[in-house]
Amino acid sequence: ETYQITSALKHTPWGNQVSLITDARFSGVSTGACIGHVGPEALAGGPIGKIVDGDWIQITVDRVNLNANVDFLGSGDAPGSVTDGTHELDARPVRTDLKADPNLPDDTRLWAALQNASGGLWGGCVYDADAIIAKLSG
């Protein structure tokens, strides 16, 4: 339950400077800048599974047009550009210290596998039925 995290952040002096980006789900009582339902990105080998402490992340939210971006800007002492961050993140392997919860529901595991077989959630958020069928038939 992510509310335990967002509720604790709300009561810290720096909590309004922290955003929660997660592939977890929200119950509806979470507060603050929360970006959830990202999908099973880490489980499917996506970018969220490559982020480490100290990385620079830029979050832009346009509340008028209801658009948002979450961009990796690199690591080190200062942020780089979105292009530089994209190249760095693409070159990184998925963290080996992340493991799926043993009680993870089968439908979530299947969702991650289907997204991965389709080219990844981060590559369009759409199942590619032909790609999945080709991989299953292969």
Side-chain angles (χ1 to χ4, degrees):
E1 172 56 52
T2 59
Y3 176 66
Q4 294 172 353
I5 298 168
T6 62
S7 176
L9 286 171
K10 180 170 65 173
H11 299 288
T12 66
W14 40 264
N16 65 346
Q17 299 172 14
V18 176
S19 296
L20 175 64
I21 303 172
T22 180
D23 53 6
R25 310 301 181 248
F26 297 108
S27 64
V29 294
S30 293
T31 62
C34 303
I35 302 167
H37 301 265
V38 174
E41 284 228 8
L43 187 60
I48 203 168
K50 297 179 179 185
I51 301 299
V52 297
D53 286 346
D55 284 345
W56 291 91
I57 307 293
Q58 173 180 277
I59 301 171
T60 308
V61 178
D62 178 346
R63 296 180 303 184
V64 174
N65 296 307
L66 301 179
N67 293 319
N69 289 323
V70 178
D71 296 305
F72 174 73
L73 301 179
S75 56
D77 293 334
S81 70
V82 173
T83 301
D84 292 339
T86 299
H87 292 305
E88 182 179 338
L89 199 61
D90 286 346
R92 280 188 185 177
V94 174
R95 293 173 40 192
T96 58
D97 61 328
L98 297 176
K99 303 282 185 244
D101 184 308
N103 297 318
L104 192 67
D106 286 342
D107 61 338
T108 301
R109 291 176 47 234
L110 179 59
W111 180 24
L114 290 172
Q115 288 294 339
N116 201 25
S118 296
L121 183 66
W122 46 95
C125 226
V126 178
Y127 290 120
D128 183 340
D130 293 331
I132 294 169
I133 291 167
K135 287 186 180 190
L136 288 173
S137 299

